[in-house]
Amino acid sequence: MKAINVKIPRAYRIFLYIFLSSSWLTGMIFFVLNRWFAVEGLFGIEQHPWQFPILKVHGFAAFGMLMAYGALIANHVPMSWKTRRFRGIGLALVSALTLQVLTAYGLYYVADHQMRTVTSAMHTLVGGLLPFVLALHIWRGIKA
């Protein structure tokens, strides 16, 4: 496989898009199920039964995203930084992805309910917007 530089090879792009779309879709499904779909269980209102299997798939997709992110941080970001183009949107992407990693860690390990609520809201908001920021970055790169 080719090395990643300013122009990302097709195989890496496909890997990135598969895991990004899987992570985004499962994250949004989890959010909807968690927010608006409760079911009547034996002991009252319960979480939707698909919520946690979806969360497992989301976690798997997130690991794929971490691998893709690592490859981009190691190659694409330093090479692209030298061109002095699209630094603003590139920094926004790196910041958003880093925030996703940190908030995911926080959601997994933070027990405080109030902090967890804030962390969850940040993770959902940034994660929901991430594909659109990436699309803008890609569009600007293609246009240039």
Side-chain angles (χ1 to χ4, degrees):
M1 234 183 242
K2 293 180 182 177
I4 297 174
N5 53 36
V6 175
K7 173 111 172 86
I8 300 172
R10 187 172 191 269
Y12 285 103
R13 285 194 315 259
I14 290 170
F15 183 84
L16 172 68
Y17 298 155
I18 286 171
F19 283 104
L20 175 65
S21 59
S22 300
S23 182
W24 185 83
L25 184 62
T26 55
M28 292 298 105
I29 291 170
F30 177 83
F31 173 73
V32 169
L33 290 176
N34 188 46
R35 190 72 154 202
W36 294 295
F37 286 89
V39 295
E40 187 67 36
L42 292 174
F43 304 103
I45 302 295
E46 296 177 353
Q47 300 287 342
H48 193 282
W50 288 0
Q51 186 173 335
F52 293 104
I54 289 290
L55 190 59
K56 289 177 184 178
V57 175
H58 182 69
F60 176 78
F63 277 112
M65 275 300 302
L66 279 173
M67 288 188 284
Y69 182 51
L72 293 173
I73 287 292
N75 295 291
H76 177 72
V77 173
M79 297 292 286
S80 299
W81 189 261
K82 293 175 188 174
T83 68
R84 299 183 179 268
R85 295 170 47 197
F86 315 123
R87 281 188 176 178
I89 193 78
L91 282 172
L93 273 171
V94 168
S95 299
L97 285 164
T98 302
L99 186 61
Q100 286 301 95
V101 171
L102 294 174
T103 55
Y105 179 86
L107 287 170
Y108 198 77
Y109 289 108
V110 172
D112 178 66
H113 180 70
Q114 185 176 0
M115 186 65 177
R116 202 171 156 71
T117 302
V118 171
T119 304
S120 177
M122 286 174 42
H123 189 77
T124 303
L125 177 65
V126 173
L129 295 174
L130 192 60
F132 303 104
V133 177
L134 178 61
L136 178 63
H137 181 69
I138 293 167
W139 177 74
R140 287 193 64 200
I142 291 170
K143 188 177 173 186

